[in-house]
Amino acid sequence: VDTIGEMSCNPSFGGIGKGVLVREVDAMDGLCGRMADLGGVQFRILNRSKGPAVHGPRAQVDRVIYKRNMLQTLQTYAGLDIKAGSVADILLDRSTELDEQALKRLASQDSTLATSSATVVGVRLESGEIIRARKVVITTGTFLGGEIHIGLKAFPSGRKGEAASIGLSKSLKDAGFRLGRMKTGTPPRLDGLTIDYSRMPKQLGDMPVSPFSFIHDSVPHANDQVVCYQTHTTPAVHDMIRANFDQSIHIRETIRGPRYCPSLESKVKRFSEKESHLIWLEPEGLPEHTSTVYPNGISNTMPEDIQQKFLRMIPGLENVVMTQPGYGVEYDHVDPRELKRTLETKRVTGLYMAGQINGTTGYEEAAAQGLLAGANAGLAAVHSKAECESQEAPQLTLDRSDGYLGVLIDDLITRGVNEPYRVFTARSEYRLSSRANNADLRLTRRAAALGLIRDSARLARLDT
């Protein structure tokens, strides 16, 4: 329970395309936008010089405040019970028992043609405890079969210091799902007190700020926003990375990483003609909470000693202390073409999936999928099996014209993924009408009709 609200990578929300997703989640009464506003320590609208169709709200967030507020909100959320435990197995009810050969035939079935062969009835924890449930939503992040890489070292984990979920991968395979592997990474963390900012350009927050949530007019830390700084890599850094490619097992090309947020090793390999790459030094919170800095732009999986050496070749970081090395994570995912528009799986009735398990990357994509999957699981749970099978039960389904969440779902279930998927404004042919500033007008009343809006004031604001 104490890891609820933990921000695994960059302590920020939003960006190009992603910021619109956060606004859409908020418009349907999701929490991440509100929590980001309460913990935000720098707010900016990216692409402000361009038209509103490509504006990208973004906030740098204090990890401590975000985590505290999210946990407190969920612990007091009406109708929600929180139980800590690691799921080892999905419990299924099959109409007929299948032998090993039949299960292999199921697994070889084309993802786009998969049909239900079982119904979920609950989960079994590693402790042996069984929890019965008519609907189950899986949101494993990078923990599903997760393996961390630092240099040539590899060990099971989904996030530094936390165990991977191994049994659940086997359970999904046994249910007939075909799993693939993807990878991502995170940069080293730096002690901000050992950085020389005197030669670095500053990046200030916007004033006035633009909150994520449509129910917020301002944010608590609007007047004490932190400053971010810009630096860059050097040819010496690139030379050191090239000389040590053989010291990292993570850069192999057999498993795809995020193309739009590449590791430093990938940048050096793919853009060999470039002499430098930008680095944004982003505080992980208010000074009273932390001095840790997130160096956005240099995620890498080099051995720890090499990371410390190349960091000190970067302007302003000549004396920097690395508080945690960067590392890579490989993890399992399911082919998202196995899903319906509700994010229910085709193979197992009542089983829903959201986030990285569907091949996406980022907090925002995961939050949006979680809202949609959770809403549909809840709506289906309160209606009869006959209503669900006849599609008479209400569902939250969105088309590409409805917003970026509709684009995200449509891309996943029709095209599948061969690399971690992230949202961009360029992915939406409806970006002129699916803007960050009108997500409430597009989605709030629709969510309210399904019973997703708890705060009547949110609806009232639409009419003002």
Side-chain angles (χ1 to χ4, degrees):
V1 173
D2 60 356
T3 60
I4 288 176
E6 191 76 60
M7 303 179 78
S8 298
C9 194
N10 190 355
S12 71
F13 268 89
I16 307 301
K18 289 173 172 281
V20 185
L21 266 186
V22 177
R23 290 272 177 91
E24 291 180 353
V25 169
D26 177 75
M28 294 184 282
D29 216 13
L31 287 176
C32 66
R34 272 178 280 167
M35 298 301 104
D37 285 348
L38 296 177
V41 292
Q42 191 194 80
F43 292 80
R44 299 184 69 239
I45 299 292
L46 307 186
N47 275 350
R48 186 183 283 277
S49 63
K50 300 179 181 178
V54 292
H55 284 179
R58 184 182 188 274
Q60 196 69 23
V61 179
D62 185 301
R63 288 184 185 276
V64 174
I65 300 175
Y66 183 89
K67 181 178 179 178
R68 181 182 65 215
N69 287 334
M70 182 63 82
L71 181 58
Q72 289 176 350
T73 301
L74 293 179
Q75 286 177 327
T76 57
Y77 206 83
L80 176 65
D81 295 320
I82 299 175
K83 182 177 180 64
S86 181
V87 174
D89 198 8
I90 303 166
L91 304 181
L92 304 179
D93 176 29
R94 297 189 185 275
S95 53
T96 57
E97 287 298 319
L98 301 176
D99 59 23
E100 189 173 340
Q101 290 302 315
L103 286 172
K104 286 183 178 179
R105 287 196 297 273
L106 267 180
S108 65
Q109 195 177 39
D110 189 293
S111 299
T112 59
L113 303 176
T115 56
S116 179
S117 61
T119 300
V120 72
V121 294
V123 297
R124 180 176 58 81
L125 305 186
E126 287 185 352
S127 64
E129 181 181 356
I130 289 176
I131 300 176
R132 298 288 177 182
R134 290 178 56 196
K135 310 295 173 186
V136 173
V137 184
I138 300 178
T139 58
T140 48
T142 58
F143 287 80
L144 190 65
E147 184 179 84
I148 280 183
H149 297 156
I150 303 177
L152 298 176
K153 296 186 294 185
F155 51 92
S157 183
R159 181 168 56 205
K160 195 77 182 290
E162 297 183 47
S165 177
I166 305 300
L168 192 54
S169 282
K170 181 179 183 303
S171 183
L172 290 171
K173 289 177 184 176
D174 291 344
F177 292 99
R178 282 188 287 177
L179 303 184
R181 294 287 279 178
M182 283 189 178
K183 64 183 180 182
T184 188
T186 192
R189 303 304 194 269
L190 313 178
D191 182 353
L193 300 178
T194 63
I195 297 174
D196 176 8
Y197 296 108
S198 62
R199 292 172 288 154
M200 300 181 191
K202 294 182 179 181
Q203 183 184 71
L204 304 176
D206 292 345
M207 281 298 287
V209 303
S210 298
F212 279 119
S213 180
F214 290 98
I215 65 172
H216 291 160
D217 295 317
S218 189
V219 298
H221 301 288
N223 296 319
D224 58 345
Q225 296 185 64
V226 301
V227 179
C228 296
Y229 293 86
Q230 178 187 308
T231 185
H232 56 84
T233 60
T234 64
V237 171
H238 299 183
D239 289 343
M240 175 166 280
I241 296 295
R242 288 190 195 96
N244 289 281
F245 277 151
D246 62 339
Q247 295 299 305
S248 173
I249 60 175
H250 194 74
I251 61 174
R252 56 193 175 192
E253 298 297 329
T254 53
I255 296 175
R256 300 295 293 272
R259 190 195 330 174
Y260 303 106
C261 185
S263 67
L264 181 57
E265 299 98 315
S266 295
K267 291 178 183 178
V268 171
K269 286 185 76 172
R270 287 166 49 190
F271 308 107
S272 57
E273 73 285 357
K274 294 200 68 172
E275 293 189 350
S276 68
H277 296 283
L278 285 180
I279 303 169
W280 293 102
L281 300 179
E282 302 173 339
E284 294 206 343
L286 295 171
E288 56 264 36
H289 291 152
T290 183
S291 63
T292 301
V293 168
Y294 181 97
N296 196 339
I298 54 170
S299 71
N300 77 96
T301 61
M302 287 284 129
E304 295 181 38
D305 60 328
I306 294 174
Q307 291 191 44
Q308 181 67 77
K309 288 176 182 176
F310 82 66
L311 282 170
R312 293 188 172 183
M313 297 176 178
I314 294 170
L317 305 186
E318 291 85 356
N319 299 302
V320 74
V321 172
M322 180 176 70
T323 59
Q324 176 185 296
Y327 60 87
V329 187
E330 281 186 11
Y331 55 94
D332 289 337
H333 73 94
V334 169
D335 185 341
R337 292 174 297 177
E338 302 248 6
L339 305 172
K340 304 175 185 177
R341 288 194 176 273
T342 59
L343 294 184
E344 183 181 24
T345 66
K346 296 175 183 177
R347 292 185 189 273
V348 178
T349 300
L351 181 65
Y352 298 74
M353 297 181 178
Q356 279 94 334
I357 192 173
N358 294 338
T360 60
T361 182
Y363 305 140
E364 302 84 0
E365 289 85 351
Q369 292 172 74
L371 185 145
L372 188 134
N376 284 316
L379 290 166
V382 297
H383 289 82
S384 68
K385 183 178 179 181
E387 287 177 310
C388 294
E389 289 177 348
S390 65
Q391 296 188 336
E392 292 179 4
Q395 296 177 332
L396 176 60
T397 55
L398 300 175
D399 295 327
R400 298 181 71 89
S401 59
D402 294 321
Y404 280 82
L405 179 49
V407 172
L408 166 64
I409 301 301
D410 186 68
D411 282 349
L412 290 177
I413 67 173
T414 60
R415 301 178 183 180
V417 293
N418 58 15
E419 64 185 13
Y421 179 101
R422 70 155 288 172
V423 161
F424 276 116
T425 51
R427 293 195 188 273
S428 174
E429 61 272 44
Y430 296 97
R431 56 187 172 275
L432 290 176
S433 55
S434 296
R435 304 185 306 275
N437 62 4
N438 69 1
D440 57 337
L441 298 175
R442 290 185 280 117
L443 297 170
T444 298
R445 288 191 177 90
R446 188 164 179 172
L450 294 172
L452 302 182
I453 306 297
R454 292 181 174 229
D455 186 359
S456 58
R458 185 179 287 274
L459 287 169
R461 290 175 75 102
L462 286 177
D463 301 319
T464 59

